[in-house]
């Protein structure tokens, strides 16, 4: 095996490892929201919002970091930032609980909530930078096209594995949410996260990662990536997609937890974890198929099926139940969780189609994509507002509308109509 192939294998494994860490941190937001939501009902989705709001501020700078410092240094900086963010979230369990700083809707808000939200925001900076590194690198290592999408799906499989474990472990640690439940309950998860980041820093600092742009003469950028119609429409699709990916299990978790029976948080976490498990299955399957089946066809099929699954869940009566741990759970929750099979390939598929043919504009496009990940904070917040006024199941109409846009992108919007722009 040549030295170049050995380097590429190490780089691929490293990028997949980073992909796993991204979801470990990101998916803390929704189950942690159950903890804070007991005392602060209005703040249930705030941690998730802060995590994704960071993308709005860090997306484009992360793309510039990639061009200036390269993939490796950007990843190492991100890992240090992640340790700081997780440490602050832990600090919220031991500091500031009795210090009230302002009132919101007549509820006195303590300093510890603000500390937690700051930690979630800083973790958002971390995962934004890591996402900026891992997606274009895996696409490059795969040579673009279907093969590039295949590599992104392999990394996504690892991403889904940790995404499955996070709400499951959180639910087991918390059990039933009460007035005495605080972030101390999930401290082991935060310590694991900090340890994983520290170990990852050590590993990545010692491996060689290809740097396709570092040290080379910087190309002239006559246009912006969004001058390409398929990239611009893909940026919008990513905004909606991340809202879909986060909103589906978040509202499912809240829906089950709010049923109020003993251990409802644990069962809610388990069902949310099953959504991420379905994503794991979907991504593993796609990683085998993507070299043979076009990205466009895959994206068309999964967006259509997801719409059908959610329509079934919306119209199925709540009286249709199954027994889980001695409790009656609406069957519609199974159809909602099954959407994980469909959302599994959307991120890689949209990214792959959106950067196809961009050439020198790929790194800049990656930064713009990361900015639009803020949709994972904004759209679930809108979905939660709909859930409060019309009910949690009715809130999935918003998800259906976003899926319809992704179906449009797969069928029409992904075509590159700007091939006259030199790349």
């Amino acid at each position: 095996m040549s030295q170049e192939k050995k380097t590429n294998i190490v780089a691929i494994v490293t990028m997949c490892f980073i992909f796993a860490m991204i979801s470990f941190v990101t998916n803390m937001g929704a189950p942690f929201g159950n903890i804070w939501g007991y005392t602060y009902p209005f703040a249930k989705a705030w941690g998730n919002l802060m995590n994704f709001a960071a993308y709005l501020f860090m997306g484009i700078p992360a793309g510039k970091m990639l061009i200036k410092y390269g993939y490796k240094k950007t990843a190492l900086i991100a890992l240090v930032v992640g340790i700081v963010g997780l440490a602050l979230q832990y600090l919220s369990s031991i500091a500031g609980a009795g210090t009230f700083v302002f009132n919101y809707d007549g509820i006195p808000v303590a300093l510890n909530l603000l500390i937690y939200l700051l930690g979630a925001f800083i973790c958002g900076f971390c995962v934004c930078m890591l996402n900026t590194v891992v997606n274009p690198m895996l696409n490059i290592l795969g040579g673009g096209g279907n093969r590039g999408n295949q590599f992104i799906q392999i990394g996504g499989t690892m991403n889904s594995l940790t995404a499955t474990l996070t709400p499951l472990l959180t639910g087991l640690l918390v059990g039933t949410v009460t007035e005495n439940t605080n972030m101390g309950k999930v401290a082991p998860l935060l310590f694991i996260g900090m340890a994983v980041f520290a170990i990852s820093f050590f590993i990545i600092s010692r491996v060689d990662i290809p740097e396709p742009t570092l040290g080379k003469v910087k190309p002239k950028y006559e246009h912006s990536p969004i001058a390409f119609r398929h990239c611009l429409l893909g940026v919008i699709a990513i905004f909606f997609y991340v809202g879909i990916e986060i909103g589906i299990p978040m509202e499912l978790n809240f829906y089950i937890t709010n049923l109020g029976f003993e251990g409802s948080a644990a069962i809610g976490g388990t069902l949310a974890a099953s959504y991420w498990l379905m994503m794991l299955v979907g991504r593993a399957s796609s990683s085998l198929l993507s070299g043979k089946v076009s990205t466009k066809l895959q994206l068309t099929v999964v967006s259509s099926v997801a719409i059908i699954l959610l329509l079934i869940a919306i119209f199925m009566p709540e009286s249709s139940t199954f027994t889980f741990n001695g409790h009656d759970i609406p069957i519609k929750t199974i159809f909602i969780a099954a959407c994980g099979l469909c959302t599994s390939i959307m991120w890689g598929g949209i990214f792959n189609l959106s950067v196809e043919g961009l050439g020198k504009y790929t790194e800049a496009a990656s930064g713009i994509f990361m900015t639009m990940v803020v949709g994972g904070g904004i759209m679930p917040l809108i979905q939660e507002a709909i859930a409060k006024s019309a009910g949690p199941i009715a809130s999935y109409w918003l998800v259906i509308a976003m899926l319809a846009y992704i179906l449009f992108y797969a069928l029409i919007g992904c075509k590159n109509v700007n091939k006259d722009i030199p790349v």
Side-chain angles (χ1 to χ4, degrees):
M1 184 183 292
S2 67
Q3 184 61 38
E4 184 180 355
K5 285 186 176 180
K6 288 181 180 178
T7 300
N8 282 351
I9 289 173
V10 172
I12 291 167
V13 172
T14 304
M15 290 302 111
C16 290
F17 196 57
I18 290 176
F19 229 143
M21 293 185 292
I22 290 169
S23 65
F24 184 81
V25 174
T26 301
N27 287 287
M28 290 178 177
F32 285 6
N34 279 323
I35 296 174
W36 293 103
Y38 190 94
T39 305
Y40 307 110
F42 55 84
K44 215 170 189 181
W46 277 16
N48 187 68
L49 173 64
M50 294 300 290
N51 190 272
F52 284 98
Y55 282 84
L56 185 62
F57 297 94
M58 196 63 203
I60 293 176
K64 291 180 177 179
M65 286 176 65
L66 206 59
I67 296 170
K68 184 175 182 179
Y69 301 116
Y71 288 85
K72 184 172 180 175
K73 283 188 178 179
T74 303
L76 292 175
I77 293 169
L79 293 170
V80 173
V81 172
I83 292 172
V84 173
L86 290 174
L88 280 171
Q89 290 187 62
Y90 170 69
L91 184 63
S92 71
S93 70
I94 58 175
T99 305
F100 298 98
V101 289
F102 66 92
N103 286 329
Y104 186 94
D105 278 351
I107 301 174
V109 176
L111 180 62
N112 63 338
L113 175 61
L114 302 185
I115 294 173
Y116 163 70
L117 293 175
L118 177 62
F121 189 66
I122 291 174
C123 278
F125 283 136
C126 162
V127 293
C128 177
M129 285 186 279
L130 291 178
N131 257 318
T132 307
V133 168
V134 71
N135 288 283
M137 176 53 72
L138 283 173
N139 200 49
I140 289 167
L141 290 169
N146 291 343
R147 181 79 169 164
N149 182 41
Q150 183 178 32
F151 277 39
I152 293 175
Q153 298 306 337
I154 292 171
T157 302
M158 296 299 297
N159 181 276
S160 294
L161 176 61
T162 51
T164 301
L165 293 175
T166 302
L168 182 62
L169 291 174
T170 304
L172 291 174
L173 288 170
V174 173
T176 303
V177 178
T178 68
E179 61 182 3
N180 297 318
T181 305
N182 61 34
M183 290 294 288
K185 285 271 191 178
V186 293
L189 207 58
L190 296 170
F191 289 140
I192 289 171
M194 285 185 273
V196 168
F197 276 133
I199 294 169
S200 302
F201 183 94
F202 175 79
I203 293 172
I204 293 171
S205 66
R206 290 180 171 271
V207 302
D208 292 325
I209 295 177
E211 301 286 358
T213 59
L214 196 62
K216 298 181 181 179
V217 177
K218 298 297 183 290
K220 292 182 180 179
Y221 299 98
E222 298 86 2
H223 301 275
S224 164
I226 59 175
F228 295 83
R229 192 195 72 171
H230 73 291
C231 183
L232 174 60
L233 296 179
V235 165
I236 298 171
I238 282 290
F239 178 87
F240 285 146
Y241 163 69
V242 187
I244 292 167
E245 181 192 275
I246 300 301
I248 290 176
M250 181 191 79
E251 205 54 55
L252 177 63
N253 196 339
F254 292 167
Y255 174 56
I256 298 300
T257 301
N258 288 341
L259 293 178
F261 53 76
E262 183 70 23
S264 59
I267 293 179
T270 301
L271 286 169
S274 69
Y275 165 87
W276 296 108
L277 180 61
M278 291 297 100
M279 285 192 73
L280 170 62
V281 173
R283 281 174 168 167
S285 301
S286 179
S287 66
L288 298 175
L289 294 172
S290 291
K292 301 176 182 178
V293 181
S294 75
T295 304
K296 181 176 180 177
L297 177 59
Q298 290 186 61
L299 192 59
T300 300
V301 171
V302 296
S303 53
S304 300
V305 173
I307 291 172
I308 293 170
L309 288 172
L310 288 181
L311 286 172
I312 293 172
I314 289 172
F315 289 109
M316 178 174 284
E318 201 165 79
S319 57
S320 298
T321 61
F322 68 98
T323 302
F324 185 82
N325 276 9
H327 300 285
D328 290 334
I329 310 296
I331 293 176
K332 62 175 65 196
T333 58
I334 295 177
F335 289 93
I336 295 172
C339 288
L341 283 170
C342 303
T343 57
S344 61
I345 72 146
M346 288 183 181
W347 171 274
I350 295 169
F351 186 88
N352 178 257
L353 291 171
S354 299
V355 301
E356 192 68 24
L358 293 190
K360 64 184 180 182
Y361 297 100
T362 299
E363 283 79 15
S366 181
I368 295 173
F369 270 93
M370 292 311 107
T371 301
M372 289 298 100
V373 173
V374 70
I378 294 174
M379 300 313 295
L381 194 66
I382 295 173
Q383 187 179 353
E384 173 64 8
I386 295 172
K388 286 179 179 177
S389 61
I393 300 303
S395 73
Y396 283 101
W397 281 112
L398 175 65
V399 179
I400 289 175
M402 293 188 286
L403 286 167
Y405 177 84
I406 292 176
L407 178 58
F408 154 78
Y409 183 72
L411 292 172
I412 301 171
C414 67
K415 184 179 179 180
N416 184 358
V417 297
N418 303 106
K419 293 184 179 180
D420 56 316
I421 300 177
V423 297

